[in-house]
């Protein structure tokens, strides 16, 4: 990823500084732990969704999948329009664009919103786990602080329109 390239040293040999990076310890050697966590949480939820008989759960999870699709559209658009300068040939990280939006944080937050809307967790639990997950994403240096903050804003928007989502489809 481009962030890892710039964290080592950018073209001008100046480190790219980030407020969250200065405050949160660098745990980048554990960067795959969040992908593993996302996979581990996704499979049980998908199995749970496919074997449920409750209409409330079915409704909330159908909205969840629509919002996840929207998140990938936002993320892909950000990747498309934030092309970075081409790094030196010895750089192995690809693609050469910046993130601008943390889809990791957004997707986990959406799953937690769905669980909260189905009354499986409390709103305070939703906020706490999403915040901790966002801090973790910053600590492993795969997103800048602004990427996670943007994901929180999109989550806030998603949470507030969740119950009226059908209105936005037509």
């Amino acid at each position: 990823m481009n962030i890892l390239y710039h964290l080592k040293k950018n073209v001008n040999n100046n480190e790219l500084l980030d407020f969250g990076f200065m405050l949160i310890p660098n745990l980048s050697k554990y960067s795959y732990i969040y992908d593993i966590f996302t996979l581990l949480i996704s499979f049980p939820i998908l199995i749970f969704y496919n074997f449920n008989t409750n209409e409330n759960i079915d409704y909330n999870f159908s909205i969840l999948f629509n919002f996840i699709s929207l998140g990938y559209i936002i993320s892909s658009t950000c990747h498309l329009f934030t092309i970075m300068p081409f790094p030196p040939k010895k750089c192995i990280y690809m693609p050469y664009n910046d993130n601008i939006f943390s889809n990791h944080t957004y997707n986990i937050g959406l799953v937690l919103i769905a669980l909260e809307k189905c009354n499986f967790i409390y709103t305070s639990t939703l906020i706490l786990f999403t915040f901790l997950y966002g801090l973790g994403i910053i600590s492993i240096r795969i997103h800048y602080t602004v990427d996670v903050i943007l994901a929180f804003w999109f989550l806030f928007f998603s949470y507030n329109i969740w119950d009226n989502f059908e209105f936005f489809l037509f």
Side-chain angles (χ1 to χ4, degrees):
M1 288 194 179
N2 217 23
I3 292 173
L4 296 175
Y5 163 73
H6 282 290
L7 281 177
K8 289 188 175 189
K9 293 286 182 183
N10 69 10
V11 179
N12 299 325
N13 291 329
N14 297 323
E15 289 190 20
L16 201 65
L17 297 178
D18 181 273
F19 184 71
F21 291 2
M22 291 185 276
L23 295 177
I24 301 170
N26 185 353
L27 302 175
S28 59
K29 63 182 177 180
Y30 304 109
S31 63
Y32 291 105
I33 212 161
Y34 278 85
D35 290 327
I36 292 168
F37 176 75
T38 304
L39 283 173
L40 290 176
I41 200 170
S42 298
F43 286 120
I45 287 174
L46 284 173
I47 291 168
F48 172 75
Y49 168 71
N50 285 312
F51 291 106
N52 84 78
T53 56
N54 186 332
E55 285 185 19
N56 182 36
I57 294 171
D58 193 39
Y59 171 77
N60 283 303
F61 275 81
S62 65
I63 293 175
L64 167 69
F65 295 128
N66 281 298
F67 274 117
I68 286 176
S69 300
L70 179 65
Y72 280 108
I73 291 169
I74 295 167
S75 180
S76 299
T77 304
C78 288
H79 282 246
L80 182 65
F81 292 109
T82 58
I83 304 300
M84 300 293 284
F86 196 74
K89 291 180 181 177
K90 63 182 177 179
C91 178
I92 60 170
Y93 301 108
M94 295 180 69
Y96 303 116
N97 56 20
D98 215 345
N99 290 311
I100 304 297
F101 171 73
S102 175
N103 222 7
H104 289 89
T105 306
Y106 183 68
N107 287 339
I108 289 297
L110 287 175
V111 168
L112 292 170
I113 289 172
L115 293 174
E116 189 265 344
K117 294 292 184 180
C118 294
N119 297 318
F120 289 121
I121 63 173
Y122 297 111
T123 307
S124 57
T125 307
L126 156 71
I127 293 168
L128 176 67
F129 282 147
T130 306
F131 180 76
L132 291 175
Y133 192 86
L135 287 178
I137 289 294
I138 295 168
S139 73
I140 60 173
R141 308 298 195 249
I142 62 172
H143 282 286
Y144 294 118
T145 306
V146 69
D147 303 338
V148 174
I149 291 171
L150 280 173
F152 289 148
W153 278 107
F154 281 111
L155 281 169
F156 178 76
F157 174 74
S158 301
Y159 183 84
N160 285 308
I161 67 167
W162 190 280
D163 294 326
N164 299 315
F165 187 69
E166 293 159 343
F167 173 76
F168 292 95
L169 293 177
F170 300 104

